[in-house]
């Protein structure tokens, strides 16, 4: 057994693995990749009620977060440990995919502590909570226990219970999510996004709430939602085809929904200020963009990119209409617009 499987087995026995890794261990055990030194202990723990719950009741990592896995397998076949890439040649194809998801995608499903504005009320902490984190450049879609469908954008984190108990269905969001809420008139669906609370029954909406970004917004496509803010005695009700931002002023009508095509891997902008486009790039690609050229701030652009084309391709396209140059600091992951 190579060092990777030894280390993974040790972490499994210490209950330090993510749910995806636990699933990986189970399959590795079945395929004879785990050494006899660990086999008995792993098998015993695998059969415990605790591990069975975490491994078997959760769905696999969604297919939408598995693009370019073969390329990533080739790039990271040593799993970041400096070992020979030959270890991957003996591993079944399903195992290659699972391992590459752990390394390249890093979607984590686990029982987590809540912090930084994602802490549920004390009455909710009895439920087994789970977390999904979406890395830059990826999107994830999933179906919750009540049947609600959710798409999560790049650099997004969502925490939610495995089962919705009580009289409300609640999730905690940092980032951006497109949600198709399953209808249940007796149990409203509530999205906690920092200091905001979005309440719906059966509806389709998009919530934007990146940490450190004041541009909180809710866009409603179908149904009705109520938006409230902590400390403000005001609730705003949205009707379909309307959008409201963080100041909870009069909702605005929306006539163009291209912006929400991020679920399709597209970045679409219509009459959007240059600086706002740069913020979108930061969230999408996980890189900081410092706009030092103040002349570009007033430019509005209408443009469309595929996420997979990368940030530098997008900047080169923008250079055709906006005069600027850029310098990329690879070490510090910063792009300077000059």
């Amino acid at each position: 057994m190579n060092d990777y499987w030894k280390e993974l087995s040790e972490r499994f026995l210490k209950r330090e693995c993510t749910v995806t890794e636990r699933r990986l261990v189970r399959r590795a055990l079945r395929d004879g990749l785990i050494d006899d030194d660990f086999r008995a202990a792993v098998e015993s723990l695998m059969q415990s009620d605790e591990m069975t719950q975490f491994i078997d009741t959760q769905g696999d990592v969604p297919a939408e977060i598995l693009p370019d896995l073969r390329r990533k397998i080739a790039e990271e076949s040593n799993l970041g440990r400096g070992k020979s890439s030959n270890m991957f040649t003996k591993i079944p194809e399903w195992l290659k995919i699972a391992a590459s998801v752990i390394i390249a995608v890093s979607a984590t499903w686990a029982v987590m502590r809540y912090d930084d504005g994602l802490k549920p009320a004390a009455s909710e902490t009895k439920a087994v909570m789970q977390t999904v984190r979406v890395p830059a450049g990826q999107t994830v879609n999933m179906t919750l226990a009540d049947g609600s469908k959710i798409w999560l954008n790049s650099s997004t984190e969502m925490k939610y219970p495995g089962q919705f108990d009580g009289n409300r269905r609640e999730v905690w969001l940092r980032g951006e999510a497109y949600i198709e809420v399953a209808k249940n008139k007796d149990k409203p669906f509530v999205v906690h996004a920092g200091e905001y609370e979005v309440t719906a029954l059966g509806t389709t909406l998009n919530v934007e709430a990146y940490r450190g970004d004041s541009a909180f917004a809710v866009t409603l496509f179908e149904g009705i939602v109520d938006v409230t803010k902590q400390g403000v005695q005001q609730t705003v009700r949205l009707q379909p085809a309307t959008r409201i931002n963080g100041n909870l002023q009069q909702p605005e009508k929306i006539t163009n929904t291209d912006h929400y095509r991020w679920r399709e891997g597209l970045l679409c902008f219509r009459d959007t200020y240059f600086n706002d486009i740069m913020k979108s790039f930061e969230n999408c690609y996980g890189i900081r963009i410092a706009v030092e050229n103040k002349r570009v701030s007033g430019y509005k652009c209408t443009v469309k990119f595929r996420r997979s084309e990368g940030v530098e391709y997008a900047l080169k396209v923008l250079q055709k209409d906006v005069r600027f140059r850029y310098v990329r600091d690879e070490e510090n992951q910063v792009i300077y617009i000059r």
Side-chain angles (χ1 to χ4, degrees), residues 79-255:
L79 298 181
R81 290 168 170 77
K83 304 299 179 184
S84 169
S85 61
N86 290 337
M87 63 173 284
F88 255 74
T89 64
K90 299 180 181 179
I91 299 177
E93 188 65 21
W94 64 262
L95 204 51
K96 295 180 184 179
I97 293 175
S100 61
V101 170
I102 294 170
I103 297 302
V105 181
S106 302
T108 303
W109 303 75
V111 178
M112 300 291 292
R113 291 181 179 271
Y114 280 70
D115 54 13
D116 298 333
L118 286 174
K119 184 176 182 179
S123 60
E124 300 297 329
T125 57
K126 295 180 181 179
V128 176
M129 306 303 294
Q130 302 178 39
T131 299
V132 58
R133 294 188 180 93
V134 186
Q138 302 289 340
T139 59
V140 168
N141 82 290
M142 56 191 294
T143 301
L144 301 184
D146 67 330
S148 295
K149 297 180 180 179
I150 297 185
W151 288 259
L152 300 176
N153 206 349
S154 295
S155 305
T156 292
E157 177 178 325
M158 188 180 76
K159 300 184 179 184
Y160 62 99
Q163 297 292 329
F164 291 109
D165 299 323
N167 56 9
R168 304 208 303 178
R169 296 169 287 170
E170 298 182 88
V171 301
W172 286 259
L173 176 72
R174 180 187 297 127
E176 183 171 10
Y178 183 98
I179 308 171
E180 294 179 356
V181 178
K183 293 183 179 180
N184 185 338
K185 64 180 181 179
D186 299 321
K187 186 177 289 190
F189 190 99
V190 181
V191 180
H192 298 277
E195 57 186 341
Y196 298 90
E197 186 174 286
V198 183
T199 304
L201 290 173
T203 189
T204 301
L205 70 157
N206 192 89
V207 180
E208 300 170 63
Y210 282 99
R211 180 170 55 183
D213 188 352
S214 60
F216 168 85
V218 178
T219 304
L220 182 64
F221 304 100
E222 297 178 8
I224 295 175
V225 300
D226 291 332
V227 183
T228 60
K229 184 178 182 180
Q230 293 178 9
V232 178
Q233 299 300 317
Q234 177 186 10
T235 296
V236 178
R237 173 158 290 187
L238 292 185
Q239 301 294 331
T242 60
R243 181 178 189 270
I244 195 166
N245 58 29
N247 59 25
L248 299 189
Q249 299 301 312
Q250 183 65 31
E252 60 179 355
K253 286 284 186 180
I254 58 168
T255 57

Side-chain angles (χ1 to χ4, degrees), residues 5 45 48 115 134 224 260 334:
W5 295 113
L45 186 55
S48 69
D115 54 13
V134 186
I224 295 175
Y260 309 100
V334 180

Side-chain angles (χ1 to χ4, degrees), residues 3-20:
D3 288 349
Y4 172 68
W5 295 113
K6 180 178 178 181
E7 180 181 334
L8 188 59
S9 298
E10 290 174 342
R11 291 198 296 113
F12 177 84
L13 294 174
K14 294 177 182 178
R15 294 174 172 81
E16 296 176 351
C17 285
T18 66
V19 172
T20 303

